[in-house]
Amino acid sequence: LSGEDLLPKALRCAWPGPGELAATQQRHEIVTDQTESADGHQLYTDVNGRVALPARDPMTNHVIGICHMGDLRHRSVAGTVAEFRQHYYLYDLRKTEEYHHIREACGKCLACIKTRTQQVIHRPLWYMVLPRRLNTCTSTSWSSQTRRMG
């Protein structure tokens, strides 16, 4: 079996660029007193230079996912929060609400669920090929792939 249609489609493979972050801020009408310019895009930030992100947006989930996946292993919730807070913050959320939001996102990581529960979590065969986003492979994507294969 071979072919591009057998692999899940990864929307992004790296940190989002300034253009994507600025578009996300515009969609959610995020405005702060501080701005920074990056690659010709104005990003709204806090006084420490951290980029403001909306709490409920796929871009934010993507950023949290990247912060969660370390170089050699997945970070803990505390490590993910620390990494996220170095560069970003969730607009209009207090620190405790931000922490709970990130903790909730980390709780959905399939690799971490397996480690914590020591149970088998069924995944597609290509699970470790593209481990780029939280919830990349779910039962719905697996069933749609198996239907296409016949």
Side-chain angles (χ1 to χ4, degrees), residues 110-121:
L110 295 177
C112 294
I113 290 171
K114 178 184 175 190
T115 304
R116 279 195 316 268
T117 62
Q118 297 180 352
Q119 296 176 357
V120 174
I121 306 296

Side-chain angles (χ1 to χ4, degrees), residues 1 5-6 123-126 138-150:
L1 294 175
D5 58 329
L6 297 178
R123 297 180 185 85
L125 298 173
W126 56 81
T138 61
S139 59
T140 56
S141 65
W142 172 246
S143 62
S144 67
Q145 293 295 336
T146 55
R147 270 189 253 120
R148 272 194 264 154
M149 287 189 260

